[in-house]
């Protein structure tokens, strides 16, 4: 059996491909190894494993995750190996998942706009160029965390129009001091900020909210996408709930930068199923077998 996972900072989509062509979907919370350790990942997976999934029979795992690069991969590999003791495990960056899901074996540009943000150029096999988003603290322009943060800044500084301020207070009952305390003293501040997209989404037609979203995507183009050489030659392919939810605004901003819109999808898991059903991924010769 083969297990495929796509993990953002908020949610992980899993798909088990059975030996008889059966497909089983389930989900867990997201695992970004910059914010959680192997024990945390292990127990969270164990807690949500479907009853009909026999971990002993899983032979291959392809895990794609936000924050999965360099020595951070070992955190995820360690947790997975504790659960799936007989599986060959490959841990890759979620950017590669996005590229494989949207582009398959074709060359192109892809961005992730979910809780976090990222982007790259892909040659049909590997990522050939990436401008780092620098994460939640320094960048992530265009992400749910970035958009939510701008809403909270406007609220905390008294810049929200009165109708929005009242609605925000009625829905959350948070003071500016409460928000500062949560953002600075509690874990996973990126997830906290991104959670306020639930307030933003149903109000996206409000001029002020529309402006927050539009500025976030403009910042994404200005500080990341437009820095790629010849970026206008590529179409904007995008994976993630934020790009999908606000696709009309994203496409409009892309047009102002002279970039046409390609495929915009909510999640890459279906594309990854197709990719791993039709493609044999060769293990890295430099990796030690697990």
């Amino acid at each position: 059996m083969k297990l495929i996972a796509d993990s953002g900072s908020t949610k992980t989509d899993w798909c088990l491909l059975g030996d008889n062509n059966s497909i089983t979907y389930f989900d867990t919370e997201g695992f970004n190894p910059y914010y959680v350790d192997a024990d945390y990942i292990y127990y969270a997976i164990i807690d949500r494993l479907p009853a009909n999934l026999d971990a002993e029979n899983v032979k291959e795992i392809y895990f794609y995750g936000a924050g999965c690069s360099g020595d951070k991969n070992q955190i995820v590999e360690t947790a997975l190996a504790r659960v799936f003791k007989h599986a060959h495990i490959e841990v890759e960056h979620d950017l590669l998942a996005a590229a494989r899901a949207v582009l398959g074996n074709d060359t192109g540009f892809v961005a992730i706009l979910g809780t976090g943000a990222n982007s790259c150029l892909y040659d049909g096999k590997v990522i050939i160029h990436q401008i780092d988003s620098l994460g939640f603290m320094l960048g992530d322009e265009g992400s749910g965390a970035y958009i939510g943060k701008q809403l909270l800044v406007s609220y905390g500084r008294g810049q929200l129009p009165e109708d929005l301020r009242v609605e925000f207070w009625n829905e959350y009952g948070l003071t500016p001091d409460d928000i500062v305390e949560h953002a600075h003293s509690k874990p996973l501040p990126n997830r906290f900020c991104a959670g306020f997209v639930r307030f933003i989404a149903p109000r996206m037609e409000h001029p002020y909210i529309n402006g927050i979203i539009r500025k976030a995507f403009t910042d994404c183009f200005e500080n990341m996408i437009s820095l790629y050489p010849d970026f206008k030659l590529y179409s904007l392919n995008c994976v993630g709930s934020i790009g999908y939810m606000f696709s009309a605004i994203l496409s409009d901003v892309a047009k102002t930068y002279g970039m046409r819109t390609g495929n915009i999808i909510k999640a890459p898991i279906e594309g990854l199923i197709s990719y791993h059903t039709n493609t044999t991924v060769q293990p890295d010769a430099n990796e030690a077998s697990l």
Side-chain angles (χ1 to χ4, degrees):
M1 292 193 293
K2 185 183 298 184
L3 190 59
I4 302 168
D6 170 61
S7 183
S9 293
T10 301
K11 180 186 175 186
T12 303
D13 291 320
W14 299 80
C15 177
L16 178 69
L17 305 180
D19 296 331
N20 57 352
N21 295 321
S22 65
I23 298 179
T24 302
Y25 296 95
F26 65 101
D27 63 76
T28 64
E29 66 179 278
F31 308 122
N32 188 321
Y34 277 90
Y35 302 118
V36 296
D37 60 18
D39 282 343
Y40 185 99
I41 296 171
Y42 168 76
Y43 287 111
I45 293 173
I46 287 293
D47 186 57
R48 294 298 301 271
L49 277 183
N52 65 339
L53 195 162
D54 185 353
E56 297 290 323
N57 290 330
V58 175
K59 302 304 181 186
E60 299 174 56
I61 300 176
Y62 301 100
F63 185 100
Y64 300 89
C68 290
S69 62
D71 59 356
K72 296 299 181 183
N73 285 6
Q74 188 60 49
I75 295 173
V76 179
E77 290 172 9
T78 298
L80 292 173
R82 287 177 64 186
V83 182
F84 307 100
K85 296 180 172 58
H86 306 297
H88 166 77
I89 299 170
E90 293 188 19
V91 177
E92 300 281 3
H93 202 283
D94 60 346
L95 262 178
L96 187 59
R100 286 176 170 174
V102 175
L103 297 169
N105 295 310
D106 296 330
T107 299
F109 173 89
V110 64
I112 294 175
L113 294 176
T115 299
N118 225 323
S119 59
C120 71
L121 292 178
Y122 174 70
D123 72 355
K125 293 183 179 179
V126 297
I127 293 170
I128 56 173
H129 187 41
Q130 178 193 358
I131 294 173
D132 202 321
S133 74
L134 301 179
F136 171 70
M137 293 298 293
L138 299 177
D140 265 1
E141 295 92 337
S143 69
Y146 188 86
I147 291 171
K149 183 165 63 174
Q150 304 318 305
L151 174 75
L152 296 179
V153 168
S154 293
Y155 176 72
R157 292 174 175 168
Q159 295 173 302
L160 278 185
E162 182 64 12
D163 58 331
L164 293 175
R165 187 198 66 77
V166 171
E167 289 175 8
F168 185 92
W169 171 257
N170 289 339
E171 189 161 335
Y172 297 106
L174 293 172
T175 67
D177 286 343
D178 293 332
I179 291 168
V180 170
E181 170 69 17
H182 198 118
H184 288 277
S185 302
K186 296 187 178 180
L188 304 174
N190 60 328
R191 202 180 291 180
F192 170 71
C193 290
F196 291 95
V197 170
R198 289 192 296 271
F199 180 86
I200 289 169
R203 299 171 175 84
M204 70 174 77
E205 299 301 327
H206 190 291
Y208 194 87
I209 295 295
N210 188 277
I212 287 177
I213 300 167
R214 188 171 297 272
K215 184 178 185 304
F217 290 151
T218 299
D219 290 347
C220 181
F221 266 86
E222 197 67 27
N223 297 320
M224 281 193 288
I225 297 176
S226 67
L227 302 183
Y228 285 91
D230 301 319
F231 74 96
K232 295 179 183 179
L233 299 180
Y234 300 94
S235 60
L236 174 63
N237 300 288
C238 183
V239 172
S241 59
I242 299 302
Y244 184 80
M245 188 184 310
F246 305 125
S247 59
I249 302 173
L250 177 62
S251 296
D252 192 47
V253 172
K255 186 177 179 180
T256 67
Y257 280 84
M259 195 176 193
R260 66 190 184 279
T261 302
N263 295 321
I264 299 180
I265 63 174
K266 185 176 182 179
I269 193 67
E270 296 298 332
L272 290 173
I273 292 170
S274 177
Y275 182 87
H276 283 288
T277 299
N278 299 304
T279 306
T280 300
V281 179
Q282 297 297 328
D284 189 332
N286 294 320
E287 282 187 350
S289 297
L290 294 174

